[in-house]
Structures are given as C-alpha cells and as structure tokens.
Amino acid sequence: MVFVESLRLSRFRGIRESENIKFSKFTVLIGRNNSGKTSILEALSLLSNTEYYYYTSANIPAIGKSPRQLVASLHGGLSFAYNYTGYTTIKYNVKGREVGFTLDAEGKRRMLYPSSEEEFRKFLMSVFGVGSVDELVYQVLFVPDDSGFLRNIQKGIISKSVWFRVVDSNAHKTAIDVISGTVYDKFTEILVQFDELSVRKELPGRGPIYPRVYDLGDGIERVLAVVLWLETFKPKIVLWDDIEVAAHPGLIESVLRWLSSRDWQVIISTHSFDVLDRLVAIRPKDASVIVLSKDSSDRLTCKVLELDEVEDYFSKGIDIRKTLELL
C-alpha cells in the first residue's frame, strides 16, 4: 500500500525548492552527494511527529526522541530551514489528500492544510488505522546513517518493556532469518545477555556460545538491530538512509527481500550499484528508482525510472549513478 504518494519541499535543509517527488510502494533514491536524498527521508519522517498535539508528545519507540528531535540531533540542532533562516514548507500527498505545514527556525509547526492540528491528527489516525495519538509516532520510522542512532536502538531494545514486544512479535527469530545464508556462522536467535544484545551461535560438537551483536561486524550489527526494531513495531512506512552501509552484496539482497516481503511502504536511499542490481533481480511489486539532481540554485529535480528502464541501462553498460546527464 502506498501511503505517501508524493512530497514537495520549499526551503528545507539544502533544498531551496523541489519538484513534486512521486513515490511507489518500494522506492529507491539515488543521486550524487548532496543531491537531497537524506533531506527527503528526513522530511518524510516528520509526518508522524506528534509534538504539536496539546495532550501528547510521543517519542519514537526505543529511541526516546520525537521525529523532529531526531532529525535536529543529526544536524547539531540547527534550523531545518534553507540557509538556516526563515521558514521551511513541507507538503505531502497522503492517500490522495494534500496536507502540509511550515516550520519556523525552532522547528515549531503551523498547519497549512488542513488548517488545524486536530483535523490533521484525525486524518493520519484514519489513514494509518490506529486508535491513539501515541501510536502515530511509530507509523513512520526513519533509519539514519548514524552510529549514535544504532547504539540508541540497541539500548532501547533491551529495555524490559521493549524486549517483551520483541519476543512477542518473534522479531528475534526473524532478524536471524534475514542474515542466515549470508554468514558462515550458524546463529539461531538473538537474546539479551549481561545487558547487551547477543546471538546464540551453534558450534558442532561443543554446543552454543553467545557472542555480542557488537562483535559481529558493522554490517551484521546494523542489520540485526534495524530488523529487530522494524519487525517489533511494524510501521506503515520505512525510511532507510544509505541502506548498503557496511553490508556485503549477499546481505543487501537478503535485506531487500525481507523489506519487499512486508506490507509497508519502503523508501530507501543508496549510493550502491549492488542495491540497484539486486533490486532489479528481486523486482519488488510497484518498485521504482528516483534519480535526484540539484542545479546551481539548489532547485531539486527528479526523474522516475521503472525497473525495466533500470535494467535496460544495465544491459547497455550504463551506470545510472554516474551518468545522470543521460537521464
């Protein structure tokens, strides 16, 4: 299901103005450095922020920050606005309805349409099918490329209240399934041991040992933590920045297959040819690649490619990450 159909930005981060950016059920953002990939994901993550409702200010589960606070922390708390001054405007098309707001230098929101926070709240609760405002905050979950965020997830997950949800959702088994076949070791489950995430590793003729997730390498550590988090809270929209970080192509393929097997909207960014190659091989339903480009005045433009078009470029030996002028 596609929840956010499009996004338009004005004076957000390094984007002075953007075209209307249209999303599929499974969307991959590519573009050169500073082309706006992360900014798009951050703007999308602010859709679920509940700070402005007068009776609640829910935090992202296992993180302890609101979506606005998370995005601000990734940039040292600076203003969201272009050139750090004035207002920024974010407009979404959510299930066929345009909604939007402005943010001032301190991140305070003023609704454009609908005109009230109350109507906006009711609309989002209806779209996401939730019964409380507290549930809204984890309908859109954003995975930034940030080591501090990864550590916070792991600390939050092992807290008693969250870990019960992990086990109840069977996420500790699913996360192992995602990495099985991509490593030589035989892991059977994730567990909490000595206040840290660990895995059960089977050794022939000896029995199990329990290495820390932290010691399994950056790629495996990141994937296990994120899969645990997403499988436990099951958002409607998954946003993942630089999905390929520290991951072998085999692990990338396994993660893409897992993401495409769930009933959520996925929007990810990448610099990796392996992600695009495996995406074409897996062919998730309703998938597209958006090529982003900014001109000298920081206006963001985009071109949407269907997977058949991406495959056609591959067959011609064209790397669409590098040869953007052909697009």
Side-chain angles (χ1 to χ4, degrees):
M1 183 178 293
V2 177
F3 291 94
V4 178
E5 297 174 1
S6 66
L7 172 73
R8 185 184 293 272
L9 299 173
S10 177
R11 297 184 56 81
F12 184 79
R13 294 295 184 200
I15 300 171
R16 185 179 57 81
E17 201 72 39
S18 81
E19 292 183 339
N20 199 40
I21 307 161
K22 297 182 179 180
F23 304 108
S24 305
K25 184 176 186 294
F26 199 112
T27 304
V28 179
L29 306 175
I30 67 171
R32 297 178 180 179
N33 291 336
N34 196 37
S35 61
K37 299 185 296 297
T38 299
S39 294
I40 289 171
L41 296 178
E42 291 175 345
L44 289 168
S45 76
L46 296 176
L47 177 65
S48 63
N49 195 44
T50 66
E51 284 181 295
Y52 309 101
Y53 305 137
Y54 63 91
Y55 52 84
T56 187
S57 180
N59 289 328
I60 303 166
I63 299 301
K65 296 178 181 178
S66 70
R68 182 193 63 82
Q69 290 169 335
L70 172 60
V71 174
S73 71
L74 298 172
H75 300 277
L78 293 175
S79 167
F80 294 156
Y82 179 76
N83 204 28
Y84 311 115
T85 59
Y87 289 82
T88 186
T89 302
I90 305 176
K91 298 178 181 179
Y92 313 86
N93 187 298
V94 180
K95 299 294 290 180
R97 179 176 179 179
E98 191 167 28
V99 296
F101 49 79
T102 64
L103 297 171
D104 66 15
E106 296 179 350
K108 294 180 180 179
R109 184 164 75 189
R110 181 176 69 84
M111 294 304 304
L112 297 173
Y113 28 82
S115 59
S116 73
E117 291 283 353
E118 183 73 8
E119 186 179 352
F120 188 44
R121 171 184 63 81
K122 290 180 179 179
F123 171 66
L124 290 183
M125 288 174 63
S126 173
V127 165
F128 292 131
V130 298
S132 71
V133 175
D134 288 344
E135 293 176 274
L136 279 179
V137 77
Y138 58 84
Q139 301 310 304
V140 183
L141 291 183
F142 171 44
V143 182
D145 178 18
D146 181 78
S147 59
F149 174 84
L150 183 62
R151 296 289 178 266
N152 283 339
I153 284 184
Q154 294 185 55
K155 289 178 182 178
I157 283 173
I158 66 174
S159 66
K160 185 177 295 185
S161 61
V162 175
W163 187 251
F164 283 146
R165 293 189 63 161
V166 171
V167 174
D168 185 58
S169 67
N170 208 40
H172 61 310
K173 298 288 184 64
T174 302
I176 291 296
D177 291 341
V178 172
I179 67 168
S180 293
T182 70
V183 293
Y184 294 113
D185 306 282
K186 183 181 179 181
F187 300 132
T188 56
E189 67 173 321
I190 304 177
L191 63 159
V192 177
Q193 186 166 280
F194 305 116
D195 292 328
E196 289 192 77
L197 281 177
S198 302
V199 293
R200 179 185 172 103
K201 176 180 176 179
E202 305 294 340
L203 293 178
R206 176 177 171 179
I209 61 173
Y210 300 91
R212 302 181 304 169
V213 167
Y214 180 78
D215 293 325
L216 301 180
D218 292 346
I220 294 296
E221 179 191 11
R222 187 175 191 237
V223 166
L224 287 178
V226 172
V227 174
L228 277 175
W229 189 51
L230 296 179
E231 277 286 339
T232 298
F233 293 99
K234 294 179 173 56
K236 300 297 194 305
I237 302 174
V238 173
L239 311 169
W240 195 334
D241 197 19
D242 288 342
I243 194 171
E244 76 281 359
V245 169
H248 180 274
L251 183 56
I252 289 172
E253 177 173 349
S254 186
V255 170
L256 291 177
R257 288 189 183 279
W258 164 69
L259 284 172
S260 64
S261 71
R262 298 297 188 265
D263 190 23
W264 47 32
Q265 184 178 9
V266 176
I267 304 172
I268 61 177
S269 73
T270 188
H271 294 97
S272 169
F273 178 83
D274 292 319
V275 172
L276 299 174
D277 178 66
R278 292 299 84 202
L279 184 76
V280 169
I282 295 168
R283 290 189 171 271
K285 292 181 179 179
D286 188 22
S288 62
V289 174
I290 298 181
V291 185
L292 302 171
S293 180
K294 281 200 306 184
D295 63 20
S296 58
S297 65
D298 288 331
R299 183 175 186 273
L300 179 67
T301 58
C302 60
K303 181 175 179 63
V304 179
L305 299 177
E306 302 302 323
L307 295 190
D308 285 343
E309 295 177 277
V310 176
E311 186 174 34
D312 186 52
Y313 279 114
F314 288 172
S315 68
K316 295 175 181 177
I318 298 173
D319 186 341
I320 60 175
R321 301 170 306 158
K322 300 178 181 178
T323 324
L324 301 187
E325 60 271 14
L326 295 179
L327 306 179

